[in-house]
Amino acid sequence: MSQLVLKARNRVSSGKGAAGKMRRSGRIPGVLYGRSGKAISIDLDAREFSTGIRNISESTIVKVDVEGKPFDAFVKATQRSIQDGNILHVDFYEVESGVLLRARVSIHLKGQPIGVREGGVLEFPLHEIEVECLPKDLPERIELDISGLGANQSIHVRDLVLGEGVRVISSTDQVIALVKYAREDTKAAATTEPAAGAAPVEEKESKDKDSK
């Protein structure tokens, strides 16, 4: 997928009044935070930004073009109106090419597990992991095929196959997805257990012979 490019302008005015006027004109105020700590006040076209971010994740690196000067950055945070859901403000965080970064990458499950088709229940406790890599190697998301997952089986972080140069920071022992015992199997196992206080058949027969 080609990199999303967002056109931005340097923002000179500030305050609630200026921000409100900007939004009414179809612009969104924002801030681009540099790696050195320097912040640049910008504004973007509201429609272009809202349309562009529909197909990106939190780990997608976009290009913010500020009046001809490009910056690679994450969309770090967006503020929305509680009335209509429109975006009121956006924060970007710059990433530097050739410098290692840490980011959280979302996990997307694919397929229906065998164990679920047999009556088991799928659980998905871990939705993202933290990785370290160069910006060029950062995956937008991790697609995990779980179609071969059987009942009482699980997939851990250590089982993920990631691209070269991507190092996992999250604990490798964490469970990403698992299928619990099928309900029928659990019920059958319960009915085969001896009732509490009941003696085994062989022991009962032996006591009967002794009494005779």
Side-chain angles (χ1 to χ4, degrees):
M1 186 175 76
S2 59
Q3 187 179 26
L4 173 64
V5 179
L6 298 169
K7 297 283 186 179
R9 304 184 310 198
N10 284 300
R11 177 162 53 95
V12 293
S13 57
S14 60
K16 291 184 177 180
K21 183 178 179 180
M22 189 179 302
R23 295 182 188 110
R24 288 191 294 272
S25 67
R27 309 287 296 180
I28 300 174
V31 176
L32 173 63
Y33 294 95
R35 288 181 61 85
S36 61
K38 182 180 178 181
I40 304 173
S41 295
I42 60 175
D43 64 78
L44 311 95
D45 181 88
R47 180 177 296 180
E48 179 187 51
F49 179 77
S50 299
T51 302
I53 64 169
R54 290 175 183 171
N55 299 317
I56 69 173
S57 65
E58 293 181 2
S59 59
T60 302
I61 298 176
V62 302
K63 191 174 293 295
V64 184
D65 187 323
V66 184
E67 298 184 7
K69 186 175 182 180
F71 297 88
D72 285 330
F74 293 120
V75 178
K76 199 65 177 176
T78 55
Q79 179 186 348
R80 292 180 179 270
S81 166
I82 59 175
Q83 281 82 23
D84 54 23
N86 288 332
I87 298 173
L88 302 177
H89 190 276
V90 56
D91 289 339
F92 295 94
Y93 182 77
E94 182 190 7
V95 297
E96 186 177 349
S97 178
V99 177
L100 288 173
L101 60 84
R102 289 190 177 186
R104 304 196 73 83
V105 183
S106 60
I107 301 172
H108 294 250
L109 304 184
K110 295 171 56 180
Q112 185 182 37
I114 295 173
V116 170
R117 296 199 297 270
E118 294 174 346
V121 178
L122 173 67
E123 292 193 357
F124 182 25
L126 189 65
H127 293 259
E128 62 179 17
I129 61 168
E130 186 178 12
V131 301
E132 181 181 71
C133 61
L134 294 174
K136 68 179 182 66
D137 298 324
L138 181 65
E140 290 189 17
R141 59 179 59 85
I142 298 170
E143 301 285 348
L144 180 60
D145 186 356
I146 58 170
S147 56
L149 196 61
N152 198 32
Q153 291 184 343
S154 58
I155 299 177
H156 296 74
V157 172
R158 60 175 173 267
D159 301 318
L160 293 176
V161 179
L162 303 178
E164 187 177 352
V166 180
R167 185 170 73 91
V168 176
I169 302 299
S170 300
S171 171
T172 57
D173 292 331
Q174 292 184 87
V175 175
I176 299 173
L178 70 154
V179 175
K180 285 188 172 181
Y181 282 110
R183 294 173 183 173
E184 292 80 7
D185 293 344
T186 305
K187 185 177 180 180
T191 57
T192 57
E193 293 180 359
V201 175
E202 293 182 1
E203 183 180 345
K204 184 178 180 181
E205 290 178 350
S206 177
K207 289 182 178 180
D208 291 342
K209 289 179 180 179
D210 294 340
S211 63
K212 292 178 181 180

